């Protein structure tokens, strides 16, 4: 490195270390990373002296605040009889929660090894986070409807700006996976993704409540619970309906992504067909979509390899069993797709490690980076495109937008495009509302996936991962 750059690099490395380990060093020092120059595409980025110097005390103050987790039930109660004063409380909750939660993640990133933070994708995410943090922390108490409208505009803008975060993280951690231990990497990803889900939930919920409030302005305080949704929360999510809806979308996707004439497995649902619970529909659709996508593709591929006449014989069905207990609903998805290969099994839940790393990297290179999340991709004429209707657009465009657009929340990338994020991200979604996701592989035969959902809606969002709590 040229001397000047080396010098800056050294300073930053030192400050990063000192800031984390010694409170005395906190005050005058700035945060990482440096401003980038050049486009950073295909070439190593150049680093400059003109770093964004940022006062570290401000971040410290926000890092010291605890996040205030919320449950699905609280989200519903907030919106059930919406008054202007409740809307203002919701606004002020979001106004202070967003910078608090973002500050915690900025601090996590500062604690990563220096060489990881300076990865171009990771440092882009860092910049996005710092900009959002800085903008939200400056917003004054929301007292009037006009204040709230300004807050909503800022939220929509940020939701949109953060659409690239997941693909960037996915690329960044794959590129850095040799520079950090598997446990650290997965811990970091689990926490950052969980936190992102949480911020988007409270941000989108507030936008949806504001929208609902405006459309009921003539009768403030009117009971707003007649619909099936309160904000983003689907009050009565009927498991069977969601599965059938996802099953059809995934079968259509498999039909379009596999060679013409490919036999698509049937998906059968049995058990407690009335099981229902409050949930955020897009979260459930994402998890079920991923699991079914994996099962359908595994069955198709095994059938192609093993059947004497794959074009004539029907592949074995996928069985979904629903079980409603007092506190939980369990969804079991059983396929006969041959099980999970031995060498992949230990890395099933890992974001960056495993024998398929190079393939994942190559595949990620094919994904348009404007996709909001990896699920917000669609296939058109065999090409991958980002879905036009992003979460931010939806929230700006109406409360009902996300609820009936079948493919918006499903994983619509081609089933054979393996990015390595689907399963671990599904588990993050499942655990976020205090549920769980487990897979049992029956070698040579198939896979049983167990998704457990806490059905009362009274569990707080789980912002911390088990490993982080144990640490
Ligand atoms: C994110 O999507 O990562 C966010 O933090 C969204 C929030 C800034 C509204």
């Amino acid at each position: 490195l040229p001397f000047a750059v080396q010098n800056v690099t050294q300073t930053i490395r030192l400050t990063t270390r000192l800031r984390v380990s010694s409170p005395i060093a906190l005050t005058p020092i700035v945060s990482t990373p440096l401003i980038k120059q050049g486009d950073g595409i295909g070439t190593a980025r150049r680093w400059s002296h003109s770093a964004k110097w940022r006062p570290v005390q401000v971040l410290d103050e926000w890092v010291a605040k605890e996040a205030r987790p919320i449950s699905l039930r609280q989200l519903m109660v907030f919106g059930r009889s919406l008054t202007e004063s409740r809307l203002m409380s919701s606004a002020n909750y979001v106004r202070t929660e967003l910078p608090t939660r973002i500050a915690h993640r900025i601090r996590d990133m500062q604690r990563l090894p220096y060489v990881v933070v300076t990865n171009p994708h990771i440092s882009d995410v860092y910049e996005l986070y710092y900009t959002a943090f800085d903008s939200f922390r400056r917003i004054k108490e929301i007292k009037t409807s006009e204040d709230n409208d300004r807050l909503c505009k800022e939220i929509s803008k940020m939701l949109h700006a953060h659409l690239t975060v997941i693909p960037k993280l996915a690329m960044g951690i794959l590129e850095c996976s040799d520079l950090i231990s598997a446990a650290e990497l997965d811990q970091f990803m689990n926490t950052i993704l969980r936190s992102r889900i949480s911020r988007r939930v409270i941000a989108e919920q507030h936008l949806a409540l504001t929208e609902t409030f405006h459309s009921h302005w003539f009768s403030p305080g009117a009971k707003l619970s007649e619909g099936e949704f309160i904000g983003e929360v689907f009050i009565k999510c009927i498991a069977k309906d969601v599965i059938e809806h996802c099953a059809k979308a995934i079968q259509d996707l498999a039909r379009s992504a596999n060679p013409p004439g490919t036999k698509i497995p049937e998906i059968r649902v049995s058990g407690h067909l009335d099981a229902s619970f409050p949930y955020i529909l897009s979260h459930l659709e994402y998890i079920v979509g991923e699991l079914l996508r994996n099962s359908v593709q595994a069955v198709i591929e095994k059938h192609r390899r093993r059947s004497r006449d794959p074009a004539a014989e029907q592949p074995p069905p996928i069985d979904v069993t629903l079980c409603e207990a007092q506190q939980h609903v369990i969804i079991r998805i059983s396929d006969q797709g041959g099980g999970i290969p031995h060498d992949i099994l230990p890395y099933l839940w890992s974001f960056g490690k495993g024998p398929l790393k190079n393939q994942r990297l190559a595949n990620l290179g094919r994904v348009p980076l404007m996709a909001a999340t990896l699920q917000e991709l669609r296939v058109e004429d065999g090409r991958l495109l980002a879905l036009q209707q992003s979460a931010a657009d939806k929230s700006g465009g109406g409360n009902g937008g996300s609820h009936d657009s079948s493919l918006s929340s499903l994983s619509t990338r081609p089933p054979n495009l393996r990015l390595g994020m689907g399963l671990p991200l599904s588990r993050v979604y499942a655990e976020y509302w205090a549920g769980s996701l487990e897979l049992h592989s029956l070698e040579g035969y198939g896979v049983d996936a167990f998704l457990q959902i806490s059905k009362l809606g009274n569990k707080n969002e789980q912002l911390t991962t088990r490993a982080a709590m144990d640490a």
Side-chain angles (χ1 to χ4, degrees), residues 94 98 102 128-129 132-133 136 154-163 165 192 195-197 199-200 203-204:
V94 172
L98 287 177
I102 298 173
L128 281 168
Y129 278 17
F133 162 72
F136 283 122
E154 192 58 21
I155 293 175
S156 298
K157 192 178 94 189
M158 290 297 171
L159 282 169
H160 191 80
H162 284 230
L163 289 179
V165 162
I192 205 164
S195 172
R196 180 178 194 268
I197 294 170
R199 295 189 307 269
R200 292 186 89 89
E204 287 177 356

Side-chain angles (χ1 to χ4, degrees), residues 66-131:
E66 295 262 345
R68 290 180 291 155
I70 199 161
S71 66
L72 278 169
R73 199 178 275 174
Q74 283 168 309
L75 285 179
M76 289 193 288
V77 168
F78 240 138
R80 194 156 255 149
S81 38
L82 200 54
T83 59
E84 185 156 10
S85 116
R86 281 196 171 189
L87 190 65
M88 295 305 123
S89 305
S90 165
N92 284 305
Y93 173 74
V94 172
R95 175 184 70 89
T96 51
E97 260 330 85
L98 287 177
T100 304
R101 295 180 186 204
I102 298 173
H104 293 160
R105 301 296 68 85
I106 292 176
R107 180 50 47 86
D108 283 353
M109 294 182 92
Q110 292 175 341
R111 286 184 170 139
L112 285 172
Y114 178 72
V115 66
V116 176
V117 198
T118 49
N119 171 278
H121 306 295
I122 305 278
S123 91
D124 282 353
V125 174
Y126 184 95
E127 279 304 316
L128 281 168
Y129 278 17
Y130 219 111
T131 307

Side-chain angles (χ1 to χ4, degrees), residues 10 40 68 73 77 87 104 114 119 125-126 128 137-138 169 171 173 175 201 269 280 345 351 391 395 400 431 442 456:
Q10 194 62 26
R68 290 180 291 155
R73 199 178 275 174
V77 168
L87 190 65
H104 293 160
Y114 178 72
N119 171 278
V125 174
Y126 184 95
L128 281 168
R137 79 172 175 89
R138 288 170 196 276
L169 280 174
M171 292 257 209
I173 54 115
E175 286 177 6
V201 164
V269 188
I280 299 212
L345 208 49
F351 285 95
S395 2
E431 291 179 351
L442 291 80
L456 303 178

Side-chain angles (χ1 to χ4, degrees), residues 48 164 264 313:
S48 126
T164 56
I264 307 298
E313 288 171 29

